[in-house]
Amino acid sequence: MSEYDECTDSLVDPTVLTELQAELGGDQSIVNRFVRSYIDLLPWRVGRLHHALNNLDMEDAMDAVLSLKTSSEMVGAICMRRLATELEISIRLLPNASHLQELRPQVNLIEAFVFGTICELQTPLS
């Protein structure tokens, strides 16, 4: 098991969005649009990781994982950020692109948390 098993406890840190809202002068509508954009793009970002692994494209894999990591950080999706960070490290440690397929289980684990992350993020938006 991963050191990130705590992802099952909480997928999202709501204080991140509270702080973002405060920085934006209390405008909840901007925060809601920002979160909805993240939610809409999350499956695409994970799909992009799969595509990069399938094509043995190290550069695209790194770009995709960094996009996932930074966007997750911005909305407080702590599990996604942690798993993306773990995957980023794994990519950096690979000797070359021909080994990208070895990271498939990590991308599958990330994918397993997409639905729960979306659900937790949508709850305060409802």
Side-chain angles (χ1 to χ4, degrees), residues 6 9 16 19 22 28 49 52 54-55 57 90 92 110 120:
E6 68 269 17
D9 294 334
V16 172
E19 290 170 4
Q28 183 64 40
L49 284 170
N54 288 340
N55 290 328
D57 187 335
S90 295
R92 290 185 189 281
I110 289 170
E120 279 194 35

Side-chain angles (χ1 to χ4, degrees), residues 57-91:
D57 187 335
M58 185 82 81
E59 186 176 317
D60 195 38
M62 185 58 72
D63 190 55
V65 78
L66 291 174
S67 173
L68 177 62
K69 183 177 87 169
T70 57
S71 62
S72 296
E73 176 81 25
M74 294 171 73
V75 298
I78 55 175
C79 178
M80 278 294 146
R81 180 192 48 81
R82 288 175 179 161
L83 293 171
T85 299
E86 187 177 74
L87 180 59
E88 175 193 3
I89 292 166
S90 295
I91 292 170

